[in-house]
Amino acid sequence: MDTRKLPYLVVPGVALAMVLFALTRLIEPLPPRVIALSTGREGGAYHNFAREYRKVAAADGFSVEIQPGAGSVETLKRLAAGQSMAGFVQGGTAEAAPTEGLLSLGSLYYEPVWLFHRKNLPLSGLHDLRGRKIQVGEDGSGIRPLALRLLRDSGVTASNSTPLGLSSDAAATALVKGQLDAAFFIMAPTVPLVRQLLLSPTVSLWSVRRTIAYTSRYRFLSAVTLGEGSVDLAANIPDRDITLLAATATLVVREDVHPVTVRFLLKTA
C-alpha cells in the first residue's frame, strides 16, 4: 500500500470537520416553530389578541400555543420560569413578579382601569372605600397589585376594609346584586362585562378626579377620557364623558427567545 496517498485521504476529512465546526459557530440554530404565548382569561383582550397572533402565525410557518391564565403577574412568573416564551403584561405589575431575564418589546395600547361601585354609595375618592367590600382581582392578575397599591396610598387597607379576589364575572354579578360595594377591573371597553355594568341601574362608574396627582405618582398610568356614547352610540353609553386611569399593555419576551421569533412578534404587533 502506498502510504503517500494517506495525506490526501485524511486532509479532506479534517477540512470537512473544520467547515462543519465553523458553520455551527456562524449559523444561528433554527427558530422553534411553536411560540408559547401567555395571556389572561379566555374572552379577555389579551386572549383575543393571542388568537389573532395565531391566525397570522400560520401564514408565516409558526404556530402559537395560547396559555390562558389569571393575568399579568402569572404571565411574568411563567416567563421567568421558562414556561412561556412571550406574553402580554399590564404596566405597573413589575413589582409583583420577577422580571430578571425578560425584555419588553414595547407598549401596545392603553388599558382602562374601571372602578364600578354601588350607585347608592357616593364615591368622591378612593378614601371613601374604607370599611367597604372591594373586588381587587384574582391572585395572578394584573389589576390586583395595582388596585391594592392605589387603595393603600389612599389609606384603604385590609385592616380597615375587605379586599376580595373573585373572578371578573363573579365580581360583576355580586356588585349588581349589592353584595359588593366596589370592584376594580382592567379590560377593553368592548368586553361585554363593561357594557353589562354600564347598563346596570344599580351600578355607577367612578370618574377620576385629581388625575395629575395620580399620573405624577404612578408614571405607568395615564388619564384617558371615555367619551359620551363611545361604547354604544345608539344607546348613548356612557351617558357622559368619564375620566379613567389607564395602564399600558406591553409585549414581553424572554431574553433568550430566538431573534426570528422576536421579529415575528414585532411584525405582528
Side-chain angles (χ1 to χ4, degrees), residues 28-266:
E28 292 180 341
L30 292 174
R33 309 315 294 175
V34 178
I35 300 172
L37 187 58
S38 182
T39 74
R41 295 294 185 201
E42 292 186 21
Y46 289 171
H47 190 266
N48 290 336
F49 279 123
R51 293 173 63 187
E52 294 301 317
Y53 266 80
R54 186 162 58 187
K55 292 177 185 177
V56 176
D60 282 12
F62 292 94
S63 61
V64 172
E65 175 195 331
I66 300 177
Q67 300 174 323
S72 297
V73 174
E74 185 173 355
T75 287
L76 288 173
K77 291 178 179 178
R78 285 174 174 172
L79 289 168
Q83 298 169 350
S84 303
M85 298 167 62
F88 300 106
V89 175
Q90 171 200 313
T93 56
E95 292 183 352
T99 57
E100 186 177 353
L102 307 184
L103 177 67
S104 170
L105 297 185
S107 299
L108 303 177
Y109 60 93
Y110 286 118
E111 292 186 292
V113 177
W114 311 86
L115 176 55
F116 288 97
H117 60 93
R118 289 191 292 107
K119 186 164 285 186
N120 59 1
L121 170 66
L123 188 61
S124 61
L126 295 180
H127 57 275
D128 290 330
L129 293 176
R130 289 192 191 101
R132 302 294 182 176
K133 292 181 179 180
I134 313 158
Q135 157 74 358
V136 296
E138 298 177 85
D139 285 333
S141 67
I143 188 59
R144 185 179 181 88
L146 175 57
L148 290 174
R149 185 173 176 182
L150 290 171
L151 290 169
R152 181 192 66 216
D153 290 350
S154 294
V156 182
T157 65
S159 63
N160 59 31
S161 306
T162 307
L164 300 171
L166 306 174
S167 69
S168 295
D169 289 339
T173 300
L175 184 61
V176 169
K177 291 181 177 180
Q179 298 167 349
L180 276 178
D181 295 304
F184 284 91
F185 305 93
I186 188 160
M187 55 185 60
T190 54
V191 173
L193 184 146
V194 172
R195 177 184 174 87
Q196 171 194 335
L197 291 175
L198 287 171
L199 285 172
S200 172
T202 62
V203 173
S204 289
L205 175 61
W206 182 48
S207 186
V208 181
R209 299 166 54 192
R210 302 188 298 173
T211 54
I212 294 177
Y214 282 115
T215 56
S216 297
R217 178 183 289 265
Y218 313 107
R219 295 305 178 95
F220 53 87
L221 290 179
S222 300
V224 297
T225 300
L226 182 69
E228 180 179 349
S230 58
V231 173
D232 189 317
L233 192 60
N236 197 35
I237 302 172
D239 60 2
R240 67 193 189 283
D241 288 351
I242 297 177
T243 302
L244 302 172
L245 296 174
T248 53
T250 303
L251 182 58
V252 177
V253 299
R254 290 178 53 84
E255 288 182 345
D256 57 5
V257 168
H258 196 284
V260 172
T261 303
V262 171
R263 286 195 291 272
F264 162 74
L265 291 169
L266 287 171

